[in-house]
Amino acid sequence: MAAEKSASRAADDSEKTDKGKLYTKEQILSSAKYMARRDVLEALLKDGREYTLEETDMMVKEFMERKVQ
C-alpha cells in the first residue's frame, strides 16, 4: 500500500518536472512535434534562451491566431 502511494507521488513529480522542463531553440526546432511549425519557431524563438513546451505552444498559437494587417 505504501509502495503504491510513493509510486503515485513519483509519477506526479515526474509530470510536474516534465511540464516545466526547459529546452533550447535548437532542441525545439529539431523536435518532430514542431516540424510543421519550424519556420514560425525559427522567427519567434531567440537564440540563447530556453523555453518550456507550454510556452512554445502558446507562442505558436498566438502567432497563428493574430490578424493580418
Side-chain angles (χ1 to χ4, degrees):
M1 187 94 155
E4 288 177 23
K5 287 183 181 179
S6 69
S8 176
R9 282 189 206 140
D12 289 343
D13 290 344
S14 174
E15 286 179 23
K16 289 178 187 175
T17 56
D18 284 346
K19 288 183 181 179
K21 190 171 180 180
L22 297 173
Y23 298 92
T24 64
K25 178 180 178 178
E26 292 76 23
Q27 289 174 312
I28 292 170
L29 292 176
S30 66
S31 168
K33 176 179 178 177
Y34 296 109
M35 188 174 292
R37 300 286 185 220
R38 183 178 165 88
D39 56 340
V40 171
L41 290 169
E42 183 72 45
L44 293 175
L45 301 178
K46 308 243 184 279
D47 291 327
R49 182 158 181 255
E50 295 180 329
Y51 301 88
T52 64
L53 296 181
E54 288 178 347
E55 185 179 12
T56 304
D57 290 339
M58 184 60 72
M59 291 173 74
V60 170
K61 181 181 177 197
E62 288 174 1
F63 179 83
M64 298 306 289
E65 290 178 350
R66 72 181 190 169
K67 292 186 178 184
V68 177
Q69 296 181 2

